[in-house]
Amino acid sequence: MSDTILIRHEAPKGFQFISEEEYERFQAWQQSQRGICTWKLKDLAKYKYGTKSTERASRYLIKHRSDLDVEQGGFIDYANTHNGWHIPAADMMDYLLSHPD
């Protein structure tokens, strides 16, 4: 007696099955893209708060300056924010997971 169960599944329109190898290549490519993406303040506001308003995002960055400032070992150059915020997206996403507020 076999313990194998066969299930027939039809992919929804517009979807297609790919090999595990192709999926892993895509995941690796996607991860590499995270590393080169830079956010402006409005991008952070949209990601974290789901809004176009940058007020809360700005307050968040000021509150967490001691962790995030490059001069203190972080990844955001606060000294040059007069040229606009340049926030490494991958680093910020990781930071947000461990520092929700």
Side-chain angles (χ1 to χ4, degrees), residues 31 33-39 44 47 60-61 67-68 70 73-77 86-99:
Q31 188 67 24
Q33 296 304 300
R34 280 183 73 211
I36 60 173
C37 182
T38 303
W39 284 346
L44 173 61
Y47 180 84
Y60 181 91
L61 292 175
D67 290 337
L68 299 173
V70 293
F75 51 85
I76 298 176
D77 187 358
H86 300 283
I87 305 164
D91 293 331
M92 194 69 216
M93 287 176 177
D94 292 341
Y95 185 82
L96 289 170
L97 287 173
S98 59
H99 301 83

Side-chain angles (χ1 to χ4, degrees), residues 42-56:
K42 67 179 181 174
D43 301 313
L44 173 61
K46 187 170 187 170
Y47 180 84
K48 178 153 178 58
Y49 301 107
T51 180
K52 291 181 181 181
S53 173
T54 59
E55 187 178 330
R56 287 171 63 193

